[in-house]
Amino acid sequence: MDNITKQEFQNSLDLTSEELENYIPDLLNGLWELGSMPQYFVELTARNNLGKGKRIIDLGCGKGAVLIELAQQFDIKGVGVDIFPDFIKEANIFANRFSVSEKVEFKTEDILEAIRTKAKFDIIIYGYDSEILGNLANSLSELTNCLKEDGHIMLEFMFAGKPTKDMVTDKEMISIINKAGYHILDRIDWNRETLKQTNSRNTEIIKENVKRLVTQNPSKEEIFNEYLQNQIDECEELENDFFCATILLKNKNYC
């Protein structure tokens, strides 16, 4: 598998136009978690006693919310990688603000390159929101490259309630995980009401950002509004048609 393509990069950020790439920091200004649910990673870490002395890598860390919240509560050493430099810049600012910069390091890197290093981690965090590493089976195979044999994968994954053309069901997801040699140790299914509140708050922030950008760049009003509508549609789809879970995986041989 080669480095992340431009199309894969745009898909991972839900960009509806190539022109939007330069406006990502402004469109997402004021957002920290970027669609993730850090509290579920914290909960899984706590109730599975994984918080002491673990080396963790967050692939596609965004602005660092997950690792920073883990570092605030546990004795971990974390590395966050993301291909977007502005996200990494903000992640380091947040790490300093929350006094965890000695526990976590953030760097700009293609996650495909990151998983091919010789470093092995106790825990891999991966938010599966695009097929940057391929489908779920391929993604788990790729992630294994930088995971210790007795390590854990924390995976955010969206699935369908009933069979669809483009998305697996919960049952199919479990089957794929098992065939890949992993066992689900624990999982947290996202609370729909919490998700709706989070989406509503984030959408309002994006709306304000879009208003400001339209005022500053009236010729690009259409692409900004198209991006906003795409975010609204995706939120509604996630809240009503699909399900999300944060899942803790371990190699079957070490369970």
Side-chain angles (χ1 to χ4, degrees):
M1 188 181 290
D2 298 324
N3 290 357
I4 295 174
T5 67
K6 195 172 189 66
Q7 185 62 53
E8 289 167 337
F9 170 68
Q10 291 171 359
N11 289 343
S12 70
L13 291 170
D14 300 320
L15 300 187
T16 53
S17 167
E18 188 172 328
E19 290 183 78
L20 288 172
E21 188 173 325
N22 294 328
Y23 297 96
I24 293 172
D26 295 307
L27 286 166
L28 301 180
N29 182 44
L31 294 177
W32 185 30
E33 296 175 354
L34 299 182
S36 189
M37 291 286 195
Q39 66 268 33
Y40 294 148
F41 289 102
V42 171
E43 186 174 342
L44 285 176
T45 300
R47 71 192 195 190
N48 289 279
N49 196 29
L50 297 176
K52 188 173 182 180
K54 300 296 185 183
R55 294 187 67 242
I56 303 175
I57 186 167
D58 186 348
L59 299 168
C61 66
K63 298 180 182 181
V66 172
L67 271 185
I68 288 171
E69 293 205 24
L70 288 172
Q72 286 182 288
Q73 300 195 44
F74 304 106
D75 179 24
I76 60 134
K77 283 290 185 181
V79 177
V81 299
D82 200 286
I83 199 172
F84 199 63
D86 290 81
F87 289 172
I88 295 302
K89 182 179 179 180
E90 285 200 61
N92 283 312
I93 291 172
F94 282 121
N96 283 318
R97 182 179 301 170
F98 291 105
S99 303
V100 295
S101 56
E102 292 185 359
K103 289 185 172 183
V104 294
E105 171 192 4
F106 295 101
K107 55 185 180 180
T108 304
E109 188 173 6
D110 184 325
I111 67 172
L112 293 174
E113 294 178 357
I115 62 179
R116 291 176 185 146
T117 65
K118 294 181 179 179
K120 300 286 185 179
F121 291 85
D122 298 297
I123 299 173
I124 296 173
I125 292 171
Y126 183 60
Y128 186 103
D129 59 358
S130 68
E131 292 199 346
I132 285 177
L133 299 183
N135 60 26
L136 178 57
N138 289 338
S139 295
L140 292 174
S141 177
E142 290 283 347
L143 294 176
T144 302
N145 291 327
C146 63
L147 183 69
K148 290 183 178 179
E149 290 184 347
D150 61 346
H152 298 77
I153 295 175
M154 287 188 176
L155 177 73
E156 283 184 332
F157 192 77
M158 182 170 68
F159 53 92
K162 56 185 178 180
T164 67
K165 179 182 178 182
D166 300 317
M167 191 170 296
V168 302
T169 63
D170 190 1
K171 183 177 180 180
E172 290 169 334
M173 174 189 72
I174 293 171
S175 176
I176 292 168
I177 289 170
N178 288 334
K179 288 179 180 178
Y182 286 92
H183 172 70
I184 297 178
L185 287 181
D186 200 354
R187 65 183 279 177
I188 298 174
D189 292 287
W190 291 15
N191 178 276
R192 282 197 180 276
E193 189 55 40
T194 301
L195 178 61
K196 288 180 181 179
Q197 292 173 4
T198 300
N199 285 344
S200 177
R201 182 176 65 249
N202 291 349
T203 300
E204 286 304 312
I205 292 172
I206 294 174
K207 280 182 181 177
E208 291 303 312
N209 291 338
V210 166
K211 286 180 184 178
R212 184 178 65 256
L213 285 168
V214 168
T215 300
Q216 296 170 350
N217 308 272
S219 65
K220 300 188 185 299
E221 179 177 5
E222 183 177 351
I223 64 169
F224 291 141
N225 284 327
E226 183 181 346
Y227 175 81
L228 174 60
Q229 188 58 52
N230 183 61
Q231 295 301 301
I232 293 172
D233 292 342
E234 286 196 358
C235 286
E236 290 180 352
E237 192 174 49
L238 180 56
E239 293 165 7
N240 299 307
D241 300 328
F242 301 122
F243 301 88
C244 277
T246 305
I247 306 165
L248 179 64
L249 307 178
K250 191 170 186 178
N251 188 305
K252 287 181 179 180
N253 295 326
Y254 291 88
C255 290

